[in-house]
Amino acid sequence: QVQLVESGGGLVPAGGSLRLSCAASGRTLSRYAIGWFRQAPGKERAFVAVTTWSGSYSHAESVKGRFTISTDNAKNTVYLQMNSLKPEDTAVYYCAAVLPGAQMTSRRRYEYWGQGTQVTVSS
């Protein structure tokens, strides 16, 4: 089992930056990749980025060049650095755990989820 706790959300003006953290724990944690998803009101939960603990990562096209996923293996923590934020980035951001393999951008593949953290970008 894997436990995930997000933090770092908040209110930021357009063009600003935030860094989200996902603190992970669990005996089988090393087997899992960690992804970030976001869900805006009235919309489906959408893939943002995913990384393995060995540093293989992928970002959604909509955030490439602005968001960066990274890990601190000593702290079992995954970060999402978000720069040049836009109002359309406003959403609840979730981290989740998935066994590496095909379709890692699909939320249905993910087994464990955190409780989410709100990010609001004002125009």
Side-chain angles (χ1 to χ4, degrees):
Q1 195 143 1
V2 174
Q3 294 80 42
L4 303 166
V5 179
E6 304 96 334
S7 61
L11 174 64
V12 62
S17 298
L18 277 176
R19 189 179 77 161
L20 305 183
S21 299
C22 174
S25 61
R27 290 189 301 111
T28 59
L29 178 62
S30 62
R31 298 173 55 196
Y32 288 83
I34 305 296
W36 285 98
F37 285 75
R38 63 186 180 184
Q39 188 165 19
K43 294 189 176 181
E44 291 193 353
R45 197 168 295 189
F47 170 76
V48 176
V50 63
T51 185
T52 66
W53 294 103
S54 60
S56 297
Y57 57 85
S58 176
H59 298 82
E61 286 297 324
S62 60
V63 305
K64 275 184 180 178
R66 299 189 300 124
F67 293 11
T68 303
I69 193 169
S70 64
T71 67
D72 183 334
N73 290 22
K75 296 182 179 179
N76 287 343
T77 299
V78 176
Y79 301 102
L80 186 67
Q81 178 66 44
M82 304 187 296
N83 299 328
S84 302
L85 282 161
K86 306 174 182 179
E88 51 263 45
D89 294 318
T90 295
V92 178
Y93 283 71
Y94 299 89
C95 63
V98 63
L99 290 173
Q103 299 183 318
M104 290 173 66
T105 61
S106 172
R107 60 185 171 87
R108 292 173 180 80
R109 285 264 287 111
Y110 285 72
E111 294 183 47
Y112 302 102
W113 292 83
Q115 82 288 351
T117 186
Q118 176 72 47
V119 172
T120 303
V121 184
S122 61
S123 55

